[in-house]
Amino acid sequence: MSTFISSWKSPSNIALVKYWGKKPTGIQLPANASISFTLSNCTTTTKLTYTEQETLAIKVLLDGDEEPSFVHKIEQFITRIAPIFPFVKTGRYLIETSNSFPHSSGIASSASGMSALALCICDIAVEKGELTENNFNRTASELARLGSGSASRSVFGPMGEWGKHNDYAGSSDDYAIGYDDIHPVFKDYCDTILLVHKGQKTVSSTVGHGLLDNNPYAEARFAQAGKNMTKMKAILKSGDLDAFIELVESEALTLHSLMMSSNPYFILMKPETLQVIEAIWKKRAEDGVKWSFTLDAGANVHFLYPQADKDSAARFIESELKQYCENGAYIYDEVGMGAERV
Ligand code: PMV
């Protein structure tokens, strides 16, 4: 009965072309392809101590304190990945995890958390001779996807692409691929996450994805996302920031319009979300800055700008945007290179 130990630090990511809606068959397969910036500062660090035994036992420590509420999610994850690595079905798991961002920040830890755990399991699979280094990242991404779709993209930097799309060579619905055919401006692009509302979301993304099944706009959306992936590829290569702004903001608002056109309908934005967006638009109209926003499935705003504008954007955040953040809180982040073994 051997013990295996692995530790990984994995980042969050922010989608530019969004995944919203799953294929009707298969487990956690995306209705359309998506692409994201991998972040650097918002990370989850996870240490897995796995001991072989004949039954399954899971203990999770979050920042050193036992967190029984995570166990069910991990059991479900283990059931989903067992067809790939049958050994996972039994064993004693001690999962020690911590996030670099506050728990109550409203930032989802599923992408960073699930990818970190998937990477730890892949390390153990390598040690057990069930996985080769050649297939390591791809398999880790596939496992991460089975935990949380967007987690598949966190394995890679500076960008992750997930979902079969003819313009992205090697792309697959099963796992994400790293994407770096990008203009230098995007390699260290900044994303300051304005924490407009730190509370729990009223509708989870699992429920939100499911509501696309009878959303009358779903098919049109999936077709649009495919076209936007084609446009995004050219934009990322050329560094055309005007085209970038238009596409990224349209994607963010489309995501939220799908929520508003679901049955039952729902809104995850808060009044401050719109106030931040308006302030960014006003600044752009007045000063011609190439600053934009995107949103994930929540009220927080991801404020996007080139690294060269870091100082002026910081002043703008302090003077104009901070007032709309809960307790004035925001998290500075930028594009990063993906998960790291620790
Ligand atoms: O990975 P999930 O199931 O939490 O879904 C993520 C959905 C969005 O964050 C809204 C978009 C995306 O592509 O990350």
Side-chain angles (χ1 to χ4, degrees):
M1 292 291 157
S2 313
T3 292
F4 302 85
I5 298 177
S6 164
S7 289
W8 279 86
K9 179 163 103 174
S10 191
S12 185
N13 68 74
I14 180 69
L16 302 177
V17 175
K18 310 288 182 181
Y19 146 61
W20 198 242
K22 302 181 195 201
K23 291 234 161 75
T25 53
I27 301 172
Q28 200 100 296
L29 297 172
N32 61 261
S34 59
I35 189 161
S36 53
F37 280 145
T38 303
L39 299 178
S40 354
N41 296 336
C42 289
T43 58
T44 299
T45 301
T46 296
K47 177 180 175 192
L48 170 62
T49 307
Y50 171 83
T51 306
E52 291 173 338
Q53 64 174 30
E54 273 160 23
T55 54
L56 177 66
I58 301 167
K59 185 168 171 179
V60 185
L61 301 183
L62 176 62
D63 294 328
D65 294 326
E66 194 161 353
E67 189 56 64
S69 65
F70 285 12
V71 171
H72 176 68
K73 176 101 191 156
I74 289 166
E75 277 168 358
Q76 194 186 13
F77 175 61
I78 287 172
T79 309
R80 283 188 183 176
I81 66 170
I84 301 173
F85 293 128
F87 78 84
V88 299
K89 282 186 283 196
T90 59
R92 192 164 78 237
Y93 291 73
L94 173 62
I95 300 167
E96 293 169 271
T97 190
S98 61
N99 296 324
S100 65
F101 44 91
H103 317 312
S104 57
S105 62
I107 298 187
S109 57
S110 59
S112 52
M114 281 300 173
S115 51
L117 182 58
L119 286 153
C120 292
I121 289 175
C122 284
D123 265 351
I124 293 167
V126 170
E127 281 196 61
K128 288 169 85 65
E130 295 187 21
L131 176 66
T132 61
E133 286 291 345
N134 282 347
N135 295 323
F136 189 91
N137 283 342
R138 173 188 289 197
T139 306
S141 175
E142 182 166 7
L143 299 192
R145 176 205 111 223
L146 290 163
S148 171
S150 57
S152 63
R153 299 184 307 239
S154 277
V155 171
F156 307 99
M159 301 192 72
E161 190 280 348
W162 172 43
K164 177 82 194 121
H165 191 289
N166 287 340
D167 292 345
Y168 292 81
S171 62
S172 167
D173 285 350
D174 294 328
Y175 46 82
I177 53 173
Y179 193 73
D180 65 0
D181 190 12
I182 64 178
H183 188 274
V185 74
F186 294 123
K187 294 208 164 137
D188 56 3
Y189 220 68
C190 296
D191 175 8
T192 295
I193 308 161
L194 301 157
L195 303 174
V196 159
H197 181 71
K198 302 194 204 162
Q200 194 75 11
K201 286 188 284 197
T202 45
V203 179
S204 70
S205 57
T206 307
V207 172
H209 285 291
L211 290 174
L212 271 247
D213 293 348
N214 36 35
N215 182 313
Y217 304 108
E219 286 310 318
R221 160 59 192 163
F222 303 147
Q224 176 203 47
K227 291 191 184 124
N228 284 350
M229 287 294 285
T230 299
K231 287 186 192 163
M232 186 56 84
K233 186 180 154 104
I235 291 169
L236 291 170
K237 180 94 182 155
S238 68
D240 179 344
L241 292 185
D242 292 315
F244 177 80
I245 290 168
E246 196 181 310
L247 191 57
V248 163
E249 292 189 348
S250 167
E251 273 289 318
L253 296 178
T254 299
L255 168 69
H256 284 258
S257 70
L258 290 166
M259 300 174 190
M260 290 189 250
S261 54
S262 289
N263 181 10
Y265 49 77
F266 60 104
I267 300 180
L268 295 182
M269 293 184 287
K270 297 284 176 193
E272 293 81 1
T273 310
L274 298 181
Q275 284 171 302
V276 169
I277 292 172
E278 283 180 349
I280 295 170
W281 283 351
K282 184 161 173 275
K283 179 76 176 168
R284 202 159 72 215
E286 286 172 2
D287 294 359
V289 290
K290 308 284 186 203
W291 299 349
S292 58
F293 72 87
T294 188
L295 306 167
D296 62 12
N300 296 331
V301 182
H302 289 249
F303 175 40
L304 303 172
Y305 51 91
Q307 185 73 234
D309 295 349
K310 195 171 171 180
D311 293 341
S312 50
R315 286 193 295 275
F316 177 64
I317 293 166
E318 277 293 313
S319 65
E320 304 289 334
L321 301 183
K322 189 181 169 168
Q323 60 180 314
Y324 305 120
C325 300
E326 203 175 321
N327 306 322
Y330 56 85
I331 298 176
Y332 171 77
D333 213 334
E334 62 181 63
V335 169
M337 285 314 293
E340 289 167 19
R341 204 177 259 114
V342 288

